[in-house]
Amino acid sequence: QVQLVESGGGLVQAGGSLRLSCTFSGMGSDDYTIGWFREVPGKEREGIACTSRNDRSKWYADSVKGRFTISRENGKNVIYLEMKTLKPEDTAVYYCAADFQGAYGSSWLSAFMDYWGKGTLVTVSS
């Protein structure tokens, strides 16, 4: 059974940094893409970053490109989202998600995801 567990959310001032973690298990194979979404109440869940199934390429939404970095810890079932130069508009619940159907980049959409974590709240104060 696939499980994704996020951690690392919290309150940070604008301009600050935060690192989220997603520990996952039960994947069964290496043929998946894994990454991050975020959701603000009243808005659609937004895909912001993912790493390809072979970890050779990474994709970022324009809204976070240059400020956020997705990475995977070698040999461990953990990915990270390093967030820098945070802005109040980055305030959201951040979700880890995995897909086994090949979603990546422009197809990194919530409707295509196979598994989700429960989310972790990030609040950026101005």
Side-chain angles (χ1 to χ4, degrees), residues 49-71:
C50 65
T51 180
S52 64
R53 53 190 64 198
N54 54 18
D55 207 35
R56 290 179 182 174
S57 59
K58 298 174 172 62
W59 169 85
Y60 299 93
D62 288 343
S63 56
V64 306
K65 196 175 296 181
R67 300 188 299 122
F68 291 11
T69 302
I70 187 171
S71 62

PDB file of all heavy atoms in Angstrom, residues 49-71:
ATOM      1  N   ALA A  49       5.929  21.231  -8.493  1.00  0.00           N
ATOM      2  CA  ALA A  49       7.236  20.640  -8.776  1.00  0.00           C
ATOM      3  C   ALA A  49       7.117  19.126  -8.807  1.00  0.00           C
ATOM      4  O   ALA A  49       6.328  18.549  -8.069  1.00  0.00           O
ATOM      5  CB  ALA A  49       8.258  21.044  -7.713  1.00  0.00           C
ATOM      6  N   CYS A  50       7.901  18.511  -9.672  1.00  0.00           N
ATOM      7  CA  CYS A  50       7.957  17.050  -9.683  1.00  0.00           C
ATOM      8  C   CYS A  50       9.314  16.605 -10.202  1.00  0.00           C
ATOM      9  O   CYS A  50      10.025  17.364 -10.862  1.00  0.00           O
ATOM     10  CB  CYS A  50       6.828  16.440 -10.510  1.00  0.00           C
ATOM     11  SG  CYS A  50       6.890  16.794 -12.274  1.00  0.00           S
ATOM     12  N   THR A  51       9.648  15.383  -9.843  1.00  0.00           N
ATOM     13  CA  THR A  51      10.886  14.790 -10.331  1.00  0.00           C
ATOM     14  C   THR A  51      10.537  13.520 -11.083  1.00  0.00           C
ATOM     15  O   THR A  51       9.694  12.747 -10.663  1.00  0.00           O
ATOM     16  CB  THR A  51      11.866  14.534  -9.172  1.00  0.00           C
ATOM     17  OG1 THR A  51      13.068  13.954  -9.679  1.00  0.00           O
ATOM     18  CG2 THR A  51      11.278  13.635  -8.106  1.00  0.00           C
ATOM     19  N   SER A  52      11.197  13.320 -12.211  1.00  0.00           N
ATOM     20  CA  SER A  52      10.832  12.224 -13.104  1.00  0.00           C
ATOM     21  C   SER A  52      11.149  10.878 -12.474  1.00  0.00           C
ATOM     22  O   SER A  52      11.898  10.782 -11.509  1.00  0.00           O
ATOM     23  CB  SER A  52      11.577  12.361 -14.430  1.00  0.00           C
ATOM     24  OG  SER A  52      12.978  12.221 -14.212  1.00  0.00           O
ATOM     25  N   ARG A  53      10.587   9.839 -13.053  1.00  0.00           N
ATOM     26  CA  ARG A  53      10.719   8.498 -12.499  1.00  0.00           C
ATOM     27  C   ARG A  53      12.163   8.058 -12.426  1.00  0.00           C
ATOM     28  O   ARG A  53      12.520   7.255 -11.591  1.00  0.00           O
ATOM     29  CB  ARG A  53       9.883   7.515 -13.309  1.00  0.00           C
ATOM     30  CG  ARG A  53      10.131   7.526 -14.801  1.00  0.00           C
ATOM     31  CD  ARG A  53       9.081   6.689 -15.527  1.00  0.00           C
ATOM     32  NE  ARG A  53       7.745   7.257 -15.367  1.00  0.00           N
ATOM     33  CZ  ARG A  53       6.621   6.591 -15.579  1.00  0.00           C
ATOM     34  NH1 ARG A  53       6.680   5.336 -15.943  1.00  0.00           N
ATOM     35  NH2 ARG A  53       5.452   7.169 -15.430  1.00  0.00           N
ATOM     36  N   ASN A  54      13.020   8.537 -13.284  1.00  0.00           N
ATOM     37  CA  ASN A  54      14.432   8.170 -13.179  1.00  0.00           C
ATOM     38  C   ASN A  54      15.251   9.267 -12.511  1.00  0.00           C
ATOM     39  O   ASN A  54      16.479   9.196 -12.482  1.00  0.00           O
ATOM     40  CB  ASN A  54      15.001   7.858 -14.567  1.00  0.00           C
ATOM     41  CG  ASN A  54      14.769   8.994 -15.542  1.00  0.00           C
ATOM     42  OD1 ASN A  54      14.487  10.122 -15.122  1.00  0.00           O
ATOM     43  ND2 ASN A  54      14.894   8.725 -16.832  1.00  0.00           N
ATOM     44  N   ASP A  55      14.571  10.269 -11.998  1.00  0.00           N
ATOM     45  CA  ASP A  55      15.178  11.383 -11.277  1.00  0.00           C
ATOM     46  C   ASP A  55      16.170  12.166 -12.118  1.00  0.00           C
ATOM     47  O   ASP A  55      17.008  12.891 -11.589  1.00  0.00           O
ATOM     48  CB  ASP A  55      15.862  10.888  -9.994  1.00  0.00           C
ATOM     49  CG  ASP A  55      15.919  11.959  -8.930  1.00  0.00           C
ATOM     50  OD1 ASP A  55      14.975  12.761  -8.848  1.00  0.00           O
ATOM     51  OD2 ASP A  55      16.917  12.016  -8.198  1.00  0.00           O
ATOM     52  N   ARG A  56      16.055  12.047 -13.435  1.00  0.00           N
ATOM     53  CA  ARG A  56      16.998  12.747 -14.304  1.00  0.00           C
ATOM     54  C   ARG A  56      16.549  14.158 -14.625  1.00  0.00           C
ATOM     55  O   ARG A  56      17.342  14.979 -15.062  1.00  0.00           O
ATOM     56  CB  ARG A  56      17.188  11.975 -15.606  1.00  0.00           C
ATOM     57  CG  ARG A  56      17.954  10.683 -15.430  1.00  0.00           C
ATOM     58  CD  ARG A  56      18.103   9.955 -16.739  1.00  0.00           C
ATOM     59  NE  ARG A  56      18.790   8.681 -16.575  1.00  0.00           N
ATOM     60  CZ  ARG A  56      18.947   7.803 -17.546  1.00  0.00           C
ATOM     61  NH1 ARG A  56      18.471   8.054 -18.754  1.00  0.00           N
ATOM     62  NH2 ARG A  56      19.590   6.680 -17.307  1.00  0.00           N
ATOM     63  N   SER A  57      15.271  14.409 -14.452  1.00  0.00           N
ATOM     64  CA  SER A  57      14.791  15.742 -14.763  1.00  0.00           C
ATOM     65  C   SER A  57      13.771  16.198 -13.730  1.00  0.00           C
ATOM     66  O   SER A  57      13.115  15.379 -13.095  1.00  0.00           O
ATOM     67  CB  SER A  57      14.183  15.777 -16.167  1.00  0.00           C
ATOM     68  OG  SER A  57      13.121  14.867 -16.262  1.00  0.00           O
ATOM     69  N   LYS A  58      13.693  17.504 -13.600  1.00  0.00           N
ATOM     70  CA  LYS A  58      12.774  18.102 -12.635  1.00  0.00           C
ATOM     71  C   LYS A  58      11.997  19.207 -13.331  1.00  0.00           C
ATOM     72  O   LYS A  58      12.526  19.907 -14.208  1.00  0.00           O
ATOM     73  CB  LYS A  58      13.563  18.654 -11.436  1.00  0.00           C
ATOM     74  CG  LYS A  58      14.317  17.577 -10.670  1.00  0.00           C
ATOM     75  CD  LYS A  58      15.198  18.157  -9.602  1.00  0.00           C
ATOM     76  CE  LYS A  58      15.796  17.083  -8.723  1.00  0.00           C
ATOM     77  NZ  LYS A  58      16.666  16.153  -9.443  1.00  0.00           N
ATOM     78  N   TRP A  59      10.772  19.354 -12.913  1.00  0.00           N
ATOM     79  CA  TRP A  59       9.916  20.378 -13.493  1.00  0.00           C
ATOM     80  C   TRP A  59       9.408  21.284 -12.380  1.00  0.00           C
ATOM     81  O   TRP A  59       9.139  20.821 -11.266  1.00  0.00           O
ATOM     82  CB  TRP A  59       8.727  19.725 -14.205  1.00  0.00           C
ATOM     83  CG  TRP A  59       7.674  20.713 -14.604  1.00  0.00           C
ATOM     84  CD1 TRP A  59       7.621  21.468 -15.729  1.00  0.00           C
ATOM     85  CD2 TRP A  59       6.524  21.076 -13.842  1.00  0.00           C
ATOM     86  NE1 TRP A  59       6.524  22.267 -15.726  1.00  0.00           N
ATOM     87  CE2 TRP A  59       5.820  22.057 -14.578  1.00  0.00           C
ATOM     88  CE3 TRP A  59       6.016  20.677 -12.605  1.00  0.00           C
ATOM     89  CZ2 TRP A  59       4.639  22.625 -14.133  1.00  0.00           C
ATOM     90  CZ3 TRP A  59       4.841  21.247 -12.146  1.00  0.00           C
ATOM     91  CH2 TRP A  59       4.161  22.215 -12.921  1.00  0.00           C
ATOM     92  N   TYR A  60       9.279  22.579 -12.698  1.00  0.00           N
ATOM     93  CA  TYR A  60       8.759  23.549 -11.755  1.00  0.00           C
ATOM     94  C   TYR A  60       7.712  24.427 -12.419  1.00  0.00           C
ATOM     95  O   TYR A  60       7.860  24.820 -13.585  1.00  0.00           O
ATOM     96  CB  TYR A  60       9.874  24.454 -11.224  1.00  0.00           C
ATOM     97  CG  TYR A  60      10.961  23.727 -10.477  1.00  0.00           C
ATOM     98  CD1 TYR A  60      12.111  23.302 -11.139  1.00  0.00           C
ATOM     99  CD2 TYR A  60      10.827  23.437  -9.123  1.00  0.00           C
ATOM    100  CE1 TYR A  60      13.107  22.617 -10.463  1.00  0.00           C
ATOM    101  CE2 TYR A  60      11.824  22.754  -8.439  1.00  0.00           C
ATOM    102  CZ  TYR A  60      12.952  22.345  -9.117  1.00  0.00           C
ATOM    103  OH  TYR A  60      13.930  21.653  -8.441  1.00  0.00           O
ATOM    104  N   ALA A  61       6.681  24.751 -11.660  1.00  0.00           N
ATOM    105  CA  ALA A  61       5.722  25.745 -12.124  1.00  0.00           C
ATOM    106  C   ALA A  61       6.394  27.113 -12.135  1.00  0.00           C
ATOM    107  O   ALA A  61       7.305  27.387 -11.348  1.00  0.00           O
ATOM    108  CB  ALA A  61       4.504  25.763 -11.214  1.00  0.00           C
ATOM    109  N   ASP A  62       5.929  27.970 -13.022  1.00  0.00           N
ATOM    110  CA  ASP A  62       6.503  29.320 -13.116  1.00  0.00           C
ATOM    111  C   ASP A  62       6.414  30.069 -11.788  1.00  0.00           C
ATOM    112  O   ASP A  62       7.286  30.884 -11.468  1.00  0.00           O
ATOM    113  CB  ASP A  62       5.791  30.116 -14.205  1.00  0.00           C
ATOM    114  CG  ASP A  62       6.137  29.637 -15.603  1.00  0.00           C
ATOM    115  OD1 ASP A  62       7.155  28.918 -15.752  1.00  0.00           O
ATOM    116  OD2 ASP A  62       5.391  29.972 -16.539  1.00  0.00           O
ATOM    117  N   SER A  63       5.382  29.779 -11.014  1.00  0.00           N
ATOM    118  CA  SER A  63       5.155  30.501  -9.764  1.00  0.00           C
ATOM    119  C   SER A  63       6.239  30.231  -8.727  1.00  0.00           C
ATOM    120  O   SER A  63       6.404  31.021  -7.780  1.00  0.00           O
ATOM    121  CB  SER A  63       3.786  30.137  -9.186  1.00  0.00           C
ATOM    122  OG  SER A  63       3.678  28.731  -9.002  1.00  0.00           O
ATOM    123  N   VAL A  64       6.989  29.143  -8.873  1.00  0.00           N
ATOM    124  CA  VAL A  64       8.012  28.800  -7.879  1.00  0.00           C
ATOM    125  C   VAL A  64       9.401  28.639  -8.483  1.00  0.00           C
ATOM    126  O   VAL A  64      10.385  28.474  -7.745  1.00  0.00           O
ATOM    127  CB  VAL A  64       7.641  27.504  -7.117  1.00  0.00           C
ATOM    128  CG1 VAL A  64       6.250  27.633  -6.504  1.00  0.00           C
ATOM    129  CG2 VAL A  64       7.724  26.287  -8.023  1.00  0.00           C
ATOM    130  N   LYS A  65       9.506  28.696  -9.786  1.00  0.00           N
ATOM    131  CA  LYS A  65      10.781  28.472 -10.463  1.00  0.00           C
ATOM    132  C   LYS A  65      11.819  29.483  -9.977  1.00  0.00           C
ATOM    133  O   LYS A  65      11.544  30.672  -9.887  1.00  0.00           O
ATOM    134  CB  LYS A  65      10.588  28.590 -11.972  1.00  0.00           C
ATOM    135  CG  LYS A  65      11.713  28.022 -12.803  1.00  0.00           C
ATOM    136  CD  LYS A  65      11.367  28.091 -14.291  1.00  0.00           C
ATOM    137  CE  LYS A  65      10.177  27.233 -14.620  1.00  0.00           C
ATOM    138  NZ  LYS A  65       9.852  27.266 -16.060  1.00  0.00           N
ATOM    139  N   GLY A  66      12.995  28.975  -9.647  1.00  0.00           N
ATOM    140  CA  GLY A  66      14.068  29.831  -9.159  1.00  0.00           C
ATOM    141  C   GLY A  66      14.063  30.034  -7.657  1.00  0.00           C
ATOM    142  O   GLY A  66      15.044  30.518  -7.089  1.00  0.00           O
ATOM    143  N   ARG A  67      12.961  29.675  -7.001  1.00  0.00           N
ATOM    144  CA  ARG A  67      12.870  29.835  -5.540  1.00  0.00           C
ATOM    145  C   ARG A  67      12.756  28.495  -4.824  1.00  0.00           C
ATOM    146  O   ARG A  67      13.217  28.355  -3.690  1.00  0.00           O
ATOM    147  CB  ARG A  67      11.667  30.699  -5.179  1.00  0.00           C
ATOM    148  CG  ARG A  67      11.705  32.098  -5.755  1.00  0.00           C
ATOM    149  CD  ARG A  67      10.562  32.950  -5.196  1.00  0.00           C
ATOM    150  NE  ARG A  67       9.252  32.411  -5.532  1.00  0.00           N
ATOM    151  CZ  ARG A  67       8.336  32.063  -4.630  1.00  0.00           C
ATOM    152  NH1 ARG A  67       8.588  32.201  -3.333  1.00  0.00           N
ATOM    153  NH2 ARG A  67       7.153  31.597  -5.022  1.00  0.00           N
ATOM    154  N   PHE A  68      12.120  27.522  -5.467  1.00  0.00           N
ATOM    155  CA  PHE A  68      11.911  26.212  -4.867  1.00  0.00           C
ATOM    156  C   PHE A  68      12.779  25.182  -5.576  1.00  0.00           C
ATOM    157  O   PHE A  68      13.015  25.276  -6.786  1.00  0.00           O
ATOM    158  CB  PHE A  68      10.442  25.784  -4.996  1.00  0.00           C
ATOM    159  CG  PHE A  68       9.470  26.573  -4.160  1.00  0.00           C
ATOM    160  CD1 PHE A  68       9.827  27.741  -3.507  1.00  0.00           C
ATOM    161  CD2 PHE A  68       8.161  26.122  -4.029  1.00  0.00           C
ATOM    162  CE1 PHE A  68       8.924  28.463  -2.748  1.00  0.00           C
ATOM    163  CE2 PHE A  68       7.235  26.825  -3.265  1.00  0.00           C
ATOM    164  CZ  PHE A  68       7.616  28.002  -2.634  1.00  0.00           C
ATOM    165  N   THR A  69      13.221  24.186  -4.804  1.00  0.00           N
ATOM    166  CA  THR A  69      14.020  23.105  -5.367  1.00  0.00           C
ATOM    167  C   THR A  69      13.504  21.777  -4.852  1.00  0.00           C
ATOM    168  O   THR A  69      13.375  21.594  -3.638  1.00  0.00           O
ATOM    169  CB  THR A  69      15.498  23.254  -4.982  1.00  0.00           C
ATOM    170  OG1 THR A  69      15.983  24.528  -5.439  1.00  0.00           O
ATOM    171  CG2 THR A  69      16.332  22.146  -5.623  1.00  0.00           C
ATOM    172  N   ILE A  70      13.240  20.861  -5.771  1.00  0.00           N
ATOM    173  CA  ILE A  70      12.827  19.513  -5.390  1.00  0.00           C
ATOM    174  C   ILE A  70      14.053  18.615  -5.477  1.00  0.00           C
ATOM    175  O   ILE A  70      14.867  18.734  -6.398  1.00  0.00           O
ATOM    176  CB  ILE A  70      11.678  19.001  -6.284  1.00  0.00           C
ATOM    177  CG1 ILE A  70      11.147  17.664  -5.775  1.00  0.00           C
ATOM    178  CG2 ILE A  70      12.097  18.914  -7.748  1.00  0.00           C
ATOM    179  CD1 ILE A  70       9.869  17.207  -6.475  1.00  0.00           C
ATOM    180  N   SER A  71      14.177  17.728  -4.509  1.00  0.00           N
ATOM    181  CA  SER A  71      15.312  16.818  -4.515  1.00  0.00           C
ATOM    182  C   SER A  71      14.893  15.497  -3.890  1.00  0.00           C
ATOM    183  O   SER A  71      13.880  15.407  -3.198  1.00  0.00           O
ATOM    184  CB  SER A  71      16.496  17.414  -3.759  1.00  0.00           C
ATOM    185  OG  SER A  71      16.166  17.625  -2.404  1.00  0.00           O
TER     186      SER A  71
END
